[in-house]
């Protein structure tokens, strides 16, 4: 009897872990959609220009452009499996907080 109870407990734990990951994935999609909606119309950054054969470095960058750069870097990190899903969600939270502080 203890064997059946143990199997049941293991199934509950396994299901809970799966649900927790699914919940993180759902939250991730919501956060990504909010960030993409905010940076959708942001102009891409141009760091370098050439004028009359000379190299000129642009010194102005907007906060939304910085947010877009950080978001792209975060997406490349998760796509190349450099960070964990928990770290990824934490970074998305930080980007959302930055986004709200920018718009206020």
């Amino acid at each position: 009897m203890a064997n059946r109870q143990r199997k049941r407990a293991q199934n509950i734990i396994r299901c809970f872990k799966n649900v927790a990951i699914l919940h993180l994935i759902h939250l991730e999609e919501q956060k990504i959609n909010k960030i993409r909606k905010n940076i959708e119309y942001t102009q891409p950054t141009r760091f370098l220009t050439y004028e009359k054969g000379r190299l000129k470095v642009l010194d102005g960058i907007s906060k939304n452009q910085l947010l877009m750069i950080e978001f792209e870097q975060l997406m490349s990190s998760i796509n190349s499996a450099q960070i964990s899903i928990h770290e990824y969600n934490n970074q998305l939270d930080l980007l959302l907080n930055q986004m709200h502080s920018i718009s206020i």
Side-chain angles (χ1 to χ4, degrees):
M1 182 167 312
N3 208 4
R4 287 191 338 207
Q5 288 176 347
R6 182 175 182 177
K7 286 181 183 179
R8 184 172 185 267
Q10 288 174 341
N11 283 338
I12 290 171
I13 291 170
R14 187 178 64 245
C15 289
F16 178 73
K17 287 180 182 177
N18 291 340
V19 169
I21 293 296
L22 289 175
H23 181 67
L24 282 176
I25 291 171
H26 180 67
L27 285 176
E28 167 198 351
E29 290 174 359
Q30 290 178 341
K31 293 173 189 176
I32 287 175
N33 288 336
K34 286 180 185 177
I35 293 172
R36 281 195 176 141
K37 185 178 177 182
N38 190 20
I39 63 173
E40 185 174 29
Y41 299 109
T42 303
Q43 294 293 325
T45 56
R46 291 182 12 217
F47 293 111
L48 303 173
T49 59
Y50 294 95
E51 291 180 6
K52 299 178 186 175
R54 303 180 98 188
L55 179 66
K56 181 180 177 184
V57 178
L58 298 179
D59 56 354
I61 187 169
S62 71
K63 291 181 180 179
N64 280 337
Q65 288 173 332
L66 184 62
L67 184 68
M68 185 169 39
I69 291 170
E70 289 180 10
F71 179 68
E72 290 172 357
Q73 191 273 333
L74 182 62
M75 293 303 289
S76 68
S77 294
I78 193 66
N79 289 337
S80 61
Q82 294 176 349
I83 57 174
S84 69
I85 189 78
H86 296 291
E87 170 101 16
Y88 177 62
N89 275 295
N90 291 338
Q91 292 292 329
L92 284 174
D93 286 335
L94 287 174
L95 284 177
L96 282 172
N97 288 338
Q98 288 176 357
M99 184 176 66
H100 291 302
S101 67
I102 289 170
S103 62
I104 292 177

